[in-house]
Amino acid sequence: VSTALIIMRVSVCLVLTVFCLVAFISETSAGRGKGGKSGSVGKGGFGKGGKGGKGGFGNQSGGFGGSPSKGKGKGKGKGKGYGKGGKGGNSSEESSEESTETGAPTSGSCACDAVAITADVLADVTATIADLTSQLTTATAQIRELEEPDVFSCKRMSGYSDESAPVSYTACDVEQPSGLVDLDSGKFTVQKDGVYRLTFTARMSAMNGQIVRADMYVNDVLVGRSSANLDTSDSTTILDLETTNTLDMNYELKAGDEVYVMLNYVGTMSLIQSSMNYQIFFTGEWIRAL
């Protein structure tokens, strides 16, 4: 997963959103034309109709990158007056049907504070970007854990029969990060919490019809066992058993936990064996977080 690609896509989407909002605010904040004034009152009769005012939208910007355009429209003014008798005295006049009070917004106009709206939008976008950045940081850390899990695979090149100490190892083919397993003590020390897959594989020799077991411990607590033995009722026949057994399990571990394998057998000759071909392996791999 490319983290840089995710960041680029989120940034482009946010920039386009801000662009569209600012363009919309600029579009709606343009004014409209006013209707004309009523005509003057004639002598003793009906007044003459007033001249129509300019209609339509006034000058407005066409958005980002566009040239300003001028709107044109037609308006009609009407006036009525009734004169008094006599020599054409001045008469009172009624308000024009199309006239409006001074300062009142015309139909369809926007009395918006574009600067304040833009500031509010940018504040919301900033908060959204901060939230997305936090989520992206968390996702990046999780991806890194999946790409670089703690893992080891250690081996032993000779046999082992000591029941008093954990099985020790010759070398590790894989150990990331280094220092997970102490070869001399045979102990794996957990560095981060999680579910781990743990395995122990060995060539097990149960001699003279006896039993040999490989026990896995976490902090001195037995959590798994692999065993080899022959079940026979013929006491006159003594048999030896050699087999390769694997203990394979998933287990929840905490940082600081110690994992190791001990032998447990009956008799004095049973053991686990290996050679230059490496027949004893101890492995562990972080699978997921708790």
Side-chain angles (χ1 to χ4, degrees):
V1 178
S2 174
T3 303
L5 182 59
I6 295 175
I7 296 174
M8 182 179 68
R9 289 179 176 174
V10 171
S11 300
V12 170
C13 291
L14 293 173
V15 170
L16 289 176
T17 301
V18 174
F19 180 86
C20 293
L21 288 171
V22 174
F24 174 76
I25 293 169
S26 298
E27 182 76 16
T28 57
S29 63
R32 294 178 179 268
K34 295 183 178 180
K37 295 182 179 180
S38 61
S40 59
V41 180
K43 293 181 178 181
F46 290 98
K48 185 178 182 180
K51 184 178 181 180
K54 293 183 180 180
F57 290 92
N59 291 345
Q60 59 183 359
S61 174
F64 291 102
S67 58
S69 61
K70 295 183 178 181
K72 294 183 178 181
K74 296 180 179 181
K76 293 183 179 181
K78 295 182 180 180
K80 291 183 179 181
Y82 293 94
K84 296 181 180 180
K87 293 183 179 180
N90 292 334
S91 64
S92 63
E93 61 179 53
E94 297 179 358
S95 300
S96 169
E97 295 178 5
E98 295 287 333
S99 63
T100 57
E101 294 182 3
T102 304
T106 59
S107 176
S109 64
C110 176
C112 305
D113 187 343
V115 175
I117 294 176
T118 302
D120 290 341
V121 171
L122 291 177
D124 290 341
V125 170
T126 300
T128 301
I129 291 176
D131 182 58
L132 290 175
T133 301
S134 176
Q135 294 181 34
L136 184 59
T137 301
T138 301
T140 301
Q142 293 173 342
I143 292 171
R144 184 174 292 112
E145 283 188 337
L146 295 175
E147 291 179 339
E148 303 173 358
D150 286 9
V151 60
F152 69 89
S153 177
C154 301
K155 58 191 178 183
R156 181 180 176 87
M157 63 178 291
S158 61
Y160 193 83
S161 60
D162 188 352
E163 292 182 283
S164 65
V167 178
S168 58
Y169 305 96
T170 304
C172 291
D173 294 319
V174 177
E175 190 180 20
Q176 296 294 335
S178 61
L180 291 177
V181 179
D182 185 309
L183 296 177
D184 294 330
S185 70
K187 293 184 178 181
F188 157 50
T189 302
V190 180
Q191 294 192 7
K192 68 177 180 179
D193 299 354
V195 177
Y196 286 77
R197 182 184 181 186
L198 304 168
T199 74
F200 180 79
T201 300
R203 175 186 168 192
M204 307 180 76
S205 299
M207 311 302 290
N208 294 328
Q210 301 300 323
I211 300 172
V212 59
R213 310 180 185 93
D215 296 337
M216 186 173 291
Y217 287 84
V218 175
N219 301 328
D220 301 328
V221 177
L222 178 64
V223 296
R225 167 173 286 178
S226 173
S227 64
N229 67 288
L230 286 172
D231 186 7
T232 178
S233 58
D234 185 359
S235 59
T236 62
T237 303
I238 298 177
L239 299 175
D240 295 338
L241 172 67
E242 292 207 11
T243 182
T244 298
N245 281 9
T246 297
L247 172 61
D248 190 337
M249 62 185 296
N250 292 336
Y251 202 81
E252 292 185 358
L253 298 172
K254 298 280 190 179
D257 287 347
E258 292 185 332
V259 185
Y260 54 92
V261 176
M262 299 278 293
L263 291 188
N264 181 329
Y265 57 86
V266 176
T268 59
M269 299 180 63
S270 297
L271 73 162
I272 57 174
Q273 298 191 58
S274 186
S275 65
M276 291 298 293
N277 294 323
Y278 296 105
Q279 296 167 302
I280 298 174
F281 294 92
F282 179 34
T283 74
E285 180 182 9
W286 184 92
I287 298 176
R288 57 164 295 166
L290 295 177

